[in-house]
Amino acid sequence: MVARNWISILLEILYGRLRITVCQQRGLLILPSFTKYGLHFCQMESYGAGTIYVVDSAGALTMDDTRHRISLFKEKLSAQTIIGFHGHNNLSLGVANSIVAIEEGADRIDASLAGMGAGAGNTATEQLIAVMNRMDIPHNLDLYKAMDAAENVMKPMMERPIQIDRLSLTLGYTGVYSSFLLFAERAGKEYGVDARDILTKISEMGAVGGQEDWIIGVAQELAKEKQVN
């Protein structure tokens, strides 16, 4: 058992280093993210990653959560490693968490015009700029130009309005990855169950991302329970 564990660790290290090396050779930016599974960000740094992100793709982090993670990065990573934050707005905290990340020393903050992104959207660029102006946080962006680009360019391109509706709010509340939203919505309609129940069950099962195939099974199970009741 011990030998197998060491083999697995060795393979993980070799695979991680290989992926980072290949991407660097091709001129790609490597942005590993922090997960709830321990100090993976330290491993990524040891593999050669120069930029490491706290990624809140579920839009579930509170300001205290963000502060803890960014401060942990600052404590554990070398001064040469760039720290980033990627926020979603499912709990209406995208801008607030981004500001906290800046206050804790994050070097890069992701944002998108009109909040374009999954779930309730990403941190909206124009909103973040407005708050940074109010707080006298230095930057080199123009608020009016960002507003105009969001209103005149980005919003007309959106097929689905970026908003905090009941499903995107459920994502943030349960901590489920934003990519699950549309799959849960479709499955809920197909099987006649509440998509919020699907997302909640997926969260209880420990889904992180990439387990969208679980959704159909969960929807079928909920539909059966509904028939029995």
Side-chain angles (χ1 to χ4, degrees):
M1 179 64 72
V2 173
R4 281 200 298 271
N5 287 342
W6 277 108
I7 291 171
S8 300
I9 294 170
L10 180 59
L11 288 174
E12 179 185 351
I13 292 171
L14 292 174
Y15 181 60
R17 286 180 176 169
L18 176 62
R19 287 183 64 187
I20 290 175
T21 300
V22 169
C23 289
Q24 287 174 335
Q25 289 173 345
R26 295 180 180 179
L28 300 176
L29 184 63
I30 314 302
L31 302 174
S33 61
F34 173 47
T35 75
K36 61 185 179 182
Y37 295 111
L39 301 182
H40 285 189
F41 57 92
C42 292
Q43 291 176 307
M44 291 298 101
E45 183 181 56
S46 71
Y47 300 161
T51 301
I52 303 179
Y53 262 68
V54 172
V55 177
D56 182 23
S57 291
L61 294 184
T62 65
M63 285 87 79
D64 285 344
D65 294 331
T66 301
R67 193 179 306 280
H68 168 70
R69 284 162 171 74
I70 297 296
S71 64
L72 186 63
F73 273 35
K74 295 293 289 185
E75 176 188 349
K76 299 294 183 180
L77 297 175
S78 71
Q80 289 72 39
T81 298
I82 295 170
I83 297 172
F85 177 75
H86 176 93
H88 279 251
N89 205 39
N90 297 340
L91 291 179
S92 195
L93 295 176
V95 171
N97 282 331
S98 297
I99 293 296
V100 168
I102 292 171
E103 291 175 340
E104 291 300 316
D107 305 293
R108 288 180 176 166
I109 303 296
D110 285 0
S112 60
L113 291 170
M116 177 65 177
N122 297 109
T123 302
T125 305
E126 64 278 11
Q127 295 171 12
L128 180 60
I129 294 171
V131 174
M132 291 173 72
N133 284 353
R134 290 291 305 272
M135 297 180 67
D136 293 324
I137 298 174
H139 62 84
N140 59 357
L141 301 172
D142 186 283
L143 176 58
Y144 282 12
K145 288 181 179 179
M147 287 178 172
D148 292 343
E151 197 73 25
N152 301 328
V153 179
M154 184 58 74
K155 286 186 179 180
M157 296 170 58
M158 293 178 175
E159 296 182 4
R160 179 189 179 101
I162 297 299
Q163 60 186 3
I164 304 176
D165 57 19
R166 56 190 172 188
L167 289 185
S168 58
L169 179 57
T170 302
L171 291 175
Y173 180 67
T174 60
V176 173
Y177 193 69
S178 294
S179 66
F180 287 89
L181 189 150
L182 293 179
F183 292 95
E185 187 175 38
R186 293 172 192 149
K189 290 178 180 178
E190 181 177 353
Y191 293 96
V193 296
D194 194 325
R196 291 171 292 183
D197 290 334
I198 296 175
L199 294 170
T200 300
K201 182 65 175 178
I202 288 290
S203 173
E204 292 171 355
M205 294 168 64
V208 178
Q211 298 97 353
E212 287 82 0
D213 56 313
W214 293 3
I215 289 175
I216 297 299
V218 168
Q220 291 173 337
E221 180 183 332
L222 291 172
K224 290 178 181 177
E225 292 175 359
K226 185 177 180 181
Q227 290 176 350
V228 171
N229 297 330

